[in-house]
Amino acid sequence: MDFTPFALSLKLASLTALILFVLSLPLAWYLSQSRSKIKPFIEALTALPIVLPPSVLGFYILWALSYNSPIGAFFEEYLGVKLVFSFTGLVIASCFYSLPFMVQPLQNGFESLNQSMLEASYIAGKSKLQTIFQVALPNMKPALITAIIITFAHTVGEFGVVLMVGGSIPNETKVASVAIYEMVEIMDYSMAHIYSAIMVGMSFIVLLSVYIFNAKQQRRFGL
């Protein structure tokens, strides 16, 4: 049994969760504190990957990363990096389709905070950055953990966008979901059952850890 697809899936999900946390934190903070008229438009754009069919999202990401687009051409000509059918391209695509799963829980966590606590932090002389890391994040651990784990799990389970952007290159872009699809195509159902069962077990453990952590936090604070 080849465990390389699982290793690639875990690597992809870990990198995506890390990158999206860094990128989504300021965006989620802005959305939670903003009263701007453009806020609904930003929220709609952020949530778009949830409702778009994977084929549509995958097609536009594939075009944007290909040599036919300015972005893909720039990376390939000046940086020597090919984005289509590469692990780098998979990471970029994963950041797009998993973005709402990181932003929305963080935004909800920021919005659930007591505003007077944030105001007290500003009065005490703390900057916005200090307030986020020293006051906000420690008081919204359930939302923080949920955002990271759900983003991780969603990236592991994605199939359509991954197949369109990365294809199925062994040891490069052939993640677990793609490997299962290929096993079904060649009617190797016994191995497909094994791979699928591992994926089900991984997903269940990830979700169970989220619910257990949130339940402990609720008991701790008497909610």
Side-chain angles (χ1 to χ4, degrees), residues 4 24-25 49 52 56 76 97 106 128 199 208 216 222-223:
T4 305
S24 301
L25 196 61
L52 277 179
V56 174
E76 193 162 341
Y97 68 68
L106 289 178
K128 284 187 177 181
M199 291 290 286
L208 182 62
K216 287 183 178 179
L223 297 177

Side-chain angles (χ1 to χ4, degrees), residues 173-188:
T173 63
K174 187 178 178 179
V175 295
S177 58
V178 175
I180 294 172
Y181 173 76
E182 291 186 346
M183 290 170 190
V184 174
E185 273 196 319
I186 62 175
M187 293 186 289
D188 187 357

Side-chain angles (χ1 to χ4, degrees), residues 185-200:
E185 273 196 319
I186 62 175
M187 293 186 289
D188 187 357
Y189 296 128
S190 59
M191 192 58 68
H193 274 300
I194 295 174
Y195 272 60
S196 298
I198 293 174
M199 291 290 286
V200 170

Side-chain angles (χ1 to χ4, degrees), residues 22 38 43 48 63 75-77 83 89 96 104 133 153 156 184 195 200 205 207 218:
V22 174
I38 66 170
E43 289 179 319
L48 203 56
W63 175 83
F75 271 86
E76 193 162 341
E77 286 185 9
L83 298 180
F96 277 103
Q104 291 183 357
F133 284 97
V156 169
V184 174
Y195 272 60
V200 170
I205 291 172
L207 292 175
Q218 289 176 354

Side-chain angles (χ1 to χ4, degrees), residues 56-66 89 92-93 96-97 161 165:
V56 174
L57 185 61
F59 169 73
Y60 280 113
I61 295 176
L62 179 63
W63 175 83
L65 300 183
S66 70
I92 296 174
F96 277 103
Y97 68 68
V161 176
V165 176

Side-chain angles (χ1 to χ4, degrees), residues 159-176:
F159 167 70
V161 176
V162 168
L163 183 62
M164 290 188 70
V165 176
S168 178
I169 305 173
N171 302 320
E172 178 74 17
T173 63
K174 187 178 178 179
V175 295

